[in-house]
Amino acid sequence: MAVELTAPAGPARRVSARHFVRLKLRVMGNNLRGQGWRVALFLGGALVGLWFAGSGFFLFASPGLADADRYASMVAAFGGGLVVLGWLLLPLIFFGVDETLDPARFALLPLPRRTLVTGLLTAALVSVPAVAVLLALLGLVVTAGVLGGWSAALVEVVGVLLGVLLCVAAARAVTSAFASMLRSRRVRDLAAVLLAVAAALLGPLQLIGVSALQETEWDRLDGVSEVIGWTPLGAPWTAGIDLAEGRGWAAPVKLLISALTVLALLAWWSRSLESAMVGTASAGGARAKGGPAGGAVSQLFPRAVGWARRDQFGALVAREARYWWRDARRRANLITIAVVGIFVPVLVNLGGSGFGTGGGQGFGQGAAEPSPLLVSLSMLFVGVVAAVTLANQFGFDGSAYAAHVVAGVRGQQELRARMTAFSIYVVPMLGVVAIVIAVLLGRPGWIGLTAGSLLASYGAGLAVNCFVSVLGAYALPETSNPFALNSGGGVVKSFLTMLAMLVTAVAAVPMVVAAALLGDVWHWLALPVGAAYGLGAALLGAYLAGDVLDRRQPELLATVTPRR
Amino acid sequence: MTDEQTALSLRGLAKRFDGKVAVAGVDLDVPAGSFYGLLGPNGAGKTTTLSMAVGLLRPDAGQARVLGQDVWADPVRAKQLLGVMPDGVRLFDRLSGAELLAYHGLLRGMDPTVVDQRAAELLDVLALTDAGRTLVVDYSAGMKKKIGLACALLHGPRLLVLDEPFEAVDPVSAALIRDILTRYVGSGGTVVFSSHVMEVVERLCSHVAILAEGTIKRVGTIDEVRGKRSLEEVFVEVVGGRTATGEELAWLSN
């Protein structure tokens, strides 16, 4: 009695959220297997999460522990609201989503959407950040318990649980919606650039926000926190506190608001999940028409590189110059340089007492009187930041670098060309920074000083980053999704970046010393000396690092080629 | 000179990754003017072998010579004779087809006017002219293979090494690639390519080598290797695959 060909292997068993959680744990475990450093990174991440959870817990419990009921709802509304906002925005800007369980992988399985959504949500809850947030916000339960007894604590537990659900659901829904919006490569590139701008502006905005906070009165915040408490941002966190403070009628309403928000988010997620599951297969792409102008060679060279000879060096410069514009990741870096280049020196030199970050006073100068030393230091910082963009310049290319290995491009040629192409964008930007800062300081005569410091540190940075990029390259994920991120590389990456910046800063210190010692003469000498110093350093760096590169081209290719 | 008659000569090439042997000592002689197929199942070490042969991956042991030039001791001279299309490697795909060809030509130190002329011809023959200024990243899989082949051919190499040139290519493009390669061999070039598509190999190749578990299992002209049987039968036997006997999977056959 043969079984029919199309017969299922028996009645299908129900798939529950438990399966998703087990799958996620298994995938996480397998990722760690046999990779000591990954285990270490994971443990490190878990410890950091635990530390945040612990300090968050005490922060949220402090109104209760200190019996300061006046601040209880404020802490709950503002703190909780920030947490929700963080979950909403941070994955988009910085971290990417944890795609341990990628919805696209479930596309072929006969799973009802409801099962899939609950399963994926439950699996998403099993992560270090989710657990850390839960632990931290349980501090509110202590607060509610101290202030309002058992009933308030119980309501707060429900509220916090709903709140964490809300956080995770919001993060998933937003990224999933984005993923389906970002079908076309052009939109994806644009989104990456916009997010880079947002991320670059985050620092300055934060400083402005802090200084604004210092000037407002606390009482006015009470009203704001009450309003936030009634939005989904604060509702789950303030329910128990309200009960404790005698507004018992508010608690169920707020819990209801939270629950409805979670449901709405899940419904939204469930709808966008379908398109996310179908994947981001390119729909053919817009085919750029328009007759090619001229021969292949003249098409390769952008106008800004028109001066270059039509040889290997020229081709390398032209291709790099095109890539700094056409590759969204690289363009995002250029934008970061522009924003940092203007904002940091302005904040440091013109910040006044509000957000002068103490740097001004530290060098014995008043905020009103610009100091050559401080100006040189801030310019040095900008130059360092600009140059450190090249720290993983081969990682940008990924496996495409194979073309250079096959063609046998000499290391020195390669590095000089890359510096040249990058400088086509950066040196004009640095020029603008030098002029803008000098004018804003009211000392147009200092342009030589600002420009000289910038060029010297930028050149020294190029030299240092030549070595870093050859010796410390790492693979970037080979995907067009700007939110994708290699898990685990973050620590190594930022360590290398810090190291490169530190060495560069040391290499450029003579410029600062000269600014401090030489006085007025330096205002005129700084530009020629700085430019010569920078150029010399860059050329020397390319010369020395080029030799290293020649010896380890295949190894470099292997390190920048993504696994799988 | 025997060196001149051997387009590619590999001696004892070996590579291990994280303690796992990927290629365990490959010896291979590719005669000049041959159309050489490197056959093997997935994971046999084809890509690793070819990468070591062309200078993309440093071998743990062994030698690779291209027309007598040692790839690892004197890479510059060997690489001038080589055209390579690696598999699973991205192109500089934020360039348009024409830009990419110009880039490869100039990287190889070619004269710009020659680059212009050959690029236009190659784009035309490979039916990529219509793509205009479309970036290679937006090309279809078949178009990417074709532009990759064009990049490898542009500087007129004496030896072409192609990794999986027919993977993910539609029949029309595959026929075009076959024609171009056949013409190239006919005019004195040598082609080495890896594949696991028996039909293509049987139709094109003068020589084959079967690679499995990191070593060469069979090597010779195609007639020597297959004898009186089909290449597929030989391949499955050598690789140690099994044919379904009909006892298992009974539920499949109603």
Side-chain angles (χ1 to χ4, degrees), chain A residues 43-67:
Chain A
L43 286 181
L47 281 179
V48 170
L50 206 63
W51 184 77
F52 269 110
S55 42
F57 182 87
F58 283 110
L59 178 72
F60 285 116
S62 58
L65 296 177
D67 222 4

Side-chain angles (χ1 to χ4, degrees), chain A residues 173-459:
Chain A
V174 167
T175 43
S176 180
F178 258 80
S180 46
M181 251 168 57
L182 298 173
R183 280 297 177 72
S184 89
R185 188 177 53 76
R186 276 178 194 286
V187 178
R188 272 199 304 266
D189 287 359
L190 186 70
V193 169
L194 287 179
L195 288 176
V197 175
L201 283 174
L202 216 59
L205 282 182
Q206 193 188 353
L207 285 178
I208 291 168
V210 167
S211 75
L213 263 186
Q214 284 170 349
E215 278 149 35
T216 49
E217 297 148 46
W218 278 96
D219 289 345
R220 217 183 306 164
L221 290 179
D222 256 347
V224 180
S225 80
E226 198 166 328
V227 173
I228 293 177
W230 283 101
T231 65
L233 290 180
W237 320 114
T238 51
I241 309 280
D242 274 354
L243 187 63
E245 291 178 349
R247 293 186 294 276
W249 55 272
V253 181
K254 287 191 169 179
L255 287 185
L256 190 68
I257 292 177
S258 317
L260 286 179
T261 312
V262 172
L263 284 180
L265 284 170
L266 287 182
W268 184 30
W269 185 26
S270 150
R271 274 178 56 186
S272 56
L273 195 60
E274 192 126 305
S275 42
M277 263 164 50
V278 182
T280 45
S282 162
R287 203 158 271 202
K289 284 278 160 142
V297 173
S298 53
Q299 284 179 53
L300 174 65
F301 284 73
R303 215 173 300 157
V305 193
W307 48 266
R309 301 219 352 236
R310 270 39 176 177
D311 57 5
Q312 193 185 51
F313 180 79
L316 284 165
V317 175
R319 203 268 308 159
E320 278 284 302
R322 286 230 180 274
Y323 259 61
W324 279 108
W325 191 249
R326 284 190 189 163
D327 185 345
R329 278 191 294 221
R330 296 200 191 198
R331 202 168 16 167
N333 275 319
L334 286 181
I335 291 167
T336 308
I337 298 175
V339 174
V340 169
I342 293 292
F343 273 94
V344 169
V346 168
L347 287 176
V348 171
N349 292 301
L350 303 172
S353 53
F355 35 88
T357 62
Q361 284 76 25
F363 294 99
Q365 297 286 333
E369 185 68 18
S371 118
L373 187 66
L374 196 57
V375 170
S376 310
L377 269 178
S378 63
M379 291 296 109
L380 186 137
F381 177 75
V382 173
V384 168
V385 167
V388 87
T389 309
L390 290 187
N392 194 26
Q393 53 180 341
F394 293 97
F396 289 131
D397 290 350
S399 54
Y401 177 62
H404 293 192
V405 181
V406 167
V409 179
R410 308 282 305 174
Q412 291 163 7
Q413 176 105 313
E414 168 110 47
L415 292 172
R416 273 199 303 267
R418 285 173 184 267
M419 287 175 176
T420 310
F422 186 55
S423 301
I424 288 174
Y425 292 92
V426 171
V427 168
M429 268 199 297
L430 295 183
V432 171
V433 170
I435 293 170
V436 166
I437 298 303
V439 170
L440 281 182
L441 286 173
R443 301 286 169 92
W446 286 18
I447 286 178
L449 178 71
T450 51
S453 313
L454 278 172
L455 288 176
S457 60
Y458 173 63

Side-chain angles (χ1 to χ4, degrees), chain B residues 7 16 29 31 53-55 70 75 90 115-116 122 127 132 138 153 163 177 196 209 224 245:
Chain B
R16 29 172 74 232
D29 284 302
V54 300
D70 192 312
R90 279 206 324 196
V115 172
D116 273 344
L122 276 168
D138 290 332
L153 281 170
D163 196 2
I177 294 178
H196 47 226
E224 285 168 12
T245 58

Side-chain angles (χ1 to χ4, degrees), chain A residues 510-533:
Chain A
M511 292 296 289
V512 182
V513 174
L517 296 183
L518 291 183
D520 282 351
V521 193
W522 184 244
H523 293 170
W524 302 107
L525 276 181
L527 182 54
V529 171
Y533 185 86

